[in-house]
Amino acid sequence: MSLLRICAFSKCLNRRSLFERCVVQADHCQFCLTIRTGAVRRTSEKPFLLQQRHFSPLIPKTEDGKKRVLGQSQLIDVLEARIQQLQSDILDVQHAKVQFLKAPFSGRGAPSGKGPKKTSREKGDILKSEQTGVKMAIKSQAFKSQPSRWMEKLSQEKKTKQQKQQHLQQKIQKNVGEKPTTKSKTSKGSLMLPGSSHKTISTTEKTVATAKRSRGTMKLSDEIRAAVSSSVAATTTSAAMSRKASKRKGKDSKQQVPSGESVSDAQARAKDLAEVEELERKLKQQVSEWTSTADPERLLENIDRNVCGDVQLGIRSFLEACVFAGDIERANRFLLSQHRVLSRRKLLNIGIYNIMMRVWAKKGTLNQIGRMFILVEEAGLKPDLRSYCAALECMGRNPNCSPRVISRCLSQMEEDSLSVDDMLSQCVFRQDERDMVLRAIHTAQPDYQPISNTTTTHCSSPLVQDFYIQRAEHQYPKLDFCQEELRERFSRQLGMEQACTITIDSVETTKPVTENMAKMRDLLAEQRSEWRKTLLQALKESKMILAGTKSRDYRLNLYPYLCLLDDREYVDVMIQSVSNLPPSGESLKILARDLGNRVYTKYSIRLKGHNQIVEKLGNIYSAYTELLAKDTKEYDVLPREQWYKLETEHSSGPSLQGDETQWPYIVTVELGTYMVDLMVKNLKINSDILNPAYNRKLIPILYHMYTFRSTRQVGFIKPHPILTQMQQEATETKLTFDSYVMPMLCPPVPWISTKFGAYLLTPTKLMRTMDGATQHELLLEKCQNLHAVLDSLNQLGNCAWKINKPLLDIIISIFNDRGSEKLDVPPPLSEAPKVLHFNPHDPTFTAAEKAHMKREAIKAKKKCSEMHSLRMDALYKLSIANHMRDEVFWFPHNMDFRGRTYPCPPYFNHLGSDVTRAVLVFAEGKPLGPKGLDWLKIHLVNLTGLKKRSSLLGRLEYANSIMEDILDSADNPLNGKKWWMNADEPWQALGCCMEIANAVRSPDPTHFISNFPVHQDGSCNGLQHYAALGRDVIGATSVNLVPCDVPQDVYSGVAQQVEEFRVRDAEKGLKIAQVLEGFISRKVVKQTVMTVVYGVTRYGGRLQIEKRLKEIDEFPKEYVWDASHYLVRQVFSGLKEMFKGTREIQDWLTDSARLISKSGRTVEWVTPLGLPIIQPYHRTRNQVLKSTMQDINLQISHDAKERPDTVKQKNAFPPNFIHSLDSTHMMLTALQCYSAGLTFVSVHDCFWTHALTVDTMNKVCREQFVALHSQPILQELSNFLLQKYCSGLPAEVKNKKYLEYRRLMLLLAKVPQTGDFDLQQVKDSTYFFS
């Protein structure tokens, strides 16, 4: 090997001398180089060059720089010859300095290599210059002595420019230069030669050099000024010749300033520049504190994680899977193979090395730990707290370890600015790791005692400072359970989560069992037993093949992921998926994702058990119940604070907050695809199992086929009709769910950080994201103070629920009968339309009849599929409700990326349909009090959808007038007058009728204990936030921010205004306006008005109106298209007149997002409670996952390495920003209600509480809305966006894209003006929430 290196080095030296000899020739090198159009490229490769390609990286390649210099010198010669030739053509251009500019980049971030096309004359000129360079040099000397009228003109223009600059200096008394323009022919500071795409002929010699020398020390404003006044030519040429800039030239032509500008134009431009300079000055002041406290290493790490996040995630998950499966050798080989190759080593971070350090620490092999530290140093990384933790743990496990070695380790930590206290408080420990670390520390420092920090910092937002500081009058609610009952419930919940699945009775069990049903059930049970054996054998064989496959060590494979669980557990997951597969089939990608997620959930729970977390969790939860139980003392701490205190006191042993890595989306899908492949290939059934007349042969029960979704062809897994028939006829009595689908049997674990909370063991994300998106987690990790957000989620999760059993029984009876579409109870498939089967080759049918029958068959199949989906959804919800009928349960909560909260159980929760909301009531009851019964009656009228324009008193009077119907509905819901069935929300209305009947029949209604939740709904809540932001008086009045005697209905107001427009157009003879007479109602325009504030477009609004018009039987269907087009224009016009301030704010948000995303960055902001939000909309990239079944095309739209999707970013910013505000308002209300002892839950902008406490909740709701909008929300948003997107930019970026930078800065700083609306009026508005 050494000899090969020496030979290669000697040949390299020979090549250098050969190269230097060839450079003497001006045109080309006959061995390896040629000059073509000013570029150096390789034309041939001799054997010595091929050897140099394999040249050892240990010997520095010093020749590369020399080659570049020589190549550039040749290029300069050619360019000089080109200049001289051009001088000979135009006779009067003086030779000047040649400045090299970077070639323009393509939109994808890589050099495009595509400059402007050269003309045929230019190509001929360059060829001529290569052949006759010496002659032209002699010829050019003759022209240098000739008089030059062009140079005289240039001199005159230079004088004019200097005079203009002096004039501007006198005007603004500052050294403000000229604004750069994009003109290429008439610019007075430069002369653009034809064909000079990548070079600039400048008449000034020292401006560029001066700018380069001073760039590092000048202020930002000075850099802008220098770029404007001195580098006009360079900026102009680069912008003019770039493809992007040439497109932008047309858009920005209005902003270009002609050379003969007036004084007023110059003053306006000077004013703009002065404004930009002032903004930059303020920005520097605001950013100085932020940059001084920021950790640059952490910021750099976050940037690195964004770029390489998916790759690092895949490596981490693979290593952890190998370690958990006990395959340490495979993990070590894989890491070393990644480390050996420099290109792969760059993708590794310190966390990946720490995984193997932890393994060697468990084994007590200190020499392996030392080797890992050497690898870390070779990778250019620094050991972190986790690295030193592994080293100390290893030393603690070695009883013979010298205290001197431990002391050296601790000293090295101090040199790296790492402390032992931080290590013990921030590192995540498993099993006895913490005890081993302390043993090692005590060996070197016997008197050391870890510092326990039991105090937590409070949220810095001024909105909640009083909530955390002034607690004297707080009355935190208790649960109606004793401590022992809560501990017993914890044990039951823990057992359910450890089992990962739960099997419950189906509500269809009430049907009588027929002989055929019993036969089908026995057949299915027998077949499933056979399928389990077949799958188990196939899985074992496939694992043996994977284990023996000879693949390179650095290649990832699925084998470790198939060793995480017992083989039978994988089989159980596959059998469960077969049982849940719909008759119409499922997309392969979705089915694979669900399978992979189930395996990950089981693995995560097993990992926590392996790390000995369960016992410690039980001890802490047992102590935590003292805060919640009714038989314990009162506490003045919040659940999060109490849990944090208990965890600090129980510091010994493993950390409850796990550090397991979330599997990458592609790994989850790949593992699931592998399991689906096993199922398709091995699960078979006899073809004659239902009909003995058929020939017996084994046929697959699952088919892999392809179908079209829109214009894309997707893989599909469909069950065989025999299997579908068996399952439908069996009507099985059991349903199996994942444990996280069920409500919790005990109060959830409080969220104490972004990674720990909700379920006991099941992994749960604080923020819901798209599969594979990681940017939200990175933002949350950087955010140190989310206490108000976490506490509000804990408050929502601590609300106990129970089932309204009488109402549930009525719903189940209708469900098991024939369903009812009117009452939103899906009918069984026996009620589905029959699919028409016909022979397409039958000559008795005409082509038109065949086409008609084909359309009808497609409609019938679609209807059957929809009915099955709805039926199964209702079956799941009702079965879960029936299973929990005698239980008290809880819904843990998390949130989406905008901050909107959701219950974690997906099927059965209070955010569901009318049916699921109706069967849920509060577990804790409270007396109605003096006004509770009135609120129940008003709530009932609200549920009917009647009297929306009536006052509260009018609604109450209406309820009293129909008391007979209310009592009849409660007593005879299915056989009486059935008044309740005509309500908008019939099942909730029936439940309210029953509650009112029980209350009025009680001895004293004021003492009647009610569990029924009463709702208070915001009046078009999105427009309420817009009106408050803009202080818009007209808009605020329309959405009930202003006190009124009767509620203002914005939907009716818009409908009335649209009707006025229609009458006007009908009088002018417009046909469609005449057709619409009598059809414009509140219902037609409501959905469009409601969603305009959330970003609906005219196209989407037209579809909404079209759907409403089709529901009107009397409306002529041939005019639906024209009518929807006409109405959507009128609705938007009406809203624009009514909500002028809203439109201005919406436009400002949209334009800001557009410019931000065009600059290549995604839109981010922070809510008033400190929750960071980022819009994860990027350009979609396709990633192909190759498998034995098919290649799956994964469309990834959240990849942070891709450029932002400008359309989605700008369209989504206004609605997402408003959603973040309404979630903030809800969280503030939740916290204040909790401190007042109220039961409170929400469905976004609909707040629920007991009838007794409605007035208190209303007061809190209004006060928090006023407090929220009393903050300078838009101004703070402007400051944040300016700091985020206009500060800290490199000077090169600002100079290169100065126009975009200036436009963005001026736009973000120009906050929309507000009106004169007084926010305090909201406190007295009865119908703000009603």
Side-chain angles (χ1 to χ4, degrees), residues 493-518:
Q493 176 67 26
L494 183 65
M496 183 172 69
E497 291 193 37
Q498 286 178 321
C500 295
T501 58
I502 181 173
T503 302
I504 65 175
D505 292 327
S506 167
V507 292
E508 291 183 325
T509 55
T510 54
K511 290 185 176 181
V513 179
T514 63
E515 182 180 353
N516 185 56
M517 287 170 59

Side-chain angles (χ1 to χ4, degrees), residues 1016-1069:
Q1016 294 289 278
D1017 202 350
S1019 177
C1020 200
N1021 191 239
L1023 285 173
Q1024 287 179 329
H1025 283 284
Y1026 267 124
L1029 284 172
R1031 304 295 195 270
D1032 184 359
V1033 177
I1034 299 177
T1037 305
S1038 302
V1039 291
N1040 295 301
L1041 297 188
V1042 178
C1044 297
D1045 295 333
V1046 293
Q1048 302 299 306
D1049 185 15
V1050 64
Y1051 310 118
S1052 299
V1054 173
Q1056 182 179 352
Q1057 194 165 27
V1058 171
E1059 174 64 17
E1060 293 175 1
F1061 294 155
R1062 186 205 65 78
V1063 171
R1064 181 193 61 195
D1065 293 338
E1067 292 174 352
K1068 295 179 181 179

Side-chain angles (χ1 to χ4, degrees), residues 102-106 112 114-116 197-198 235-249 1296-1297:
K102 292 183 179 179
F105 280 68
S106 66
S112 64
K114 297 181 181 180
S197 59
H198 292 158
T235 308
T236 303
T237 307
S238 178
M241 303 319 297
S242 168
R243 289 190 173 185
K244 276 188 169 182
S246 62
K247 291 181 181 179
R248 191 174 64 243
K249 181 178 178 181
K1296 187 176 181 181
K1297 298 185 177 180

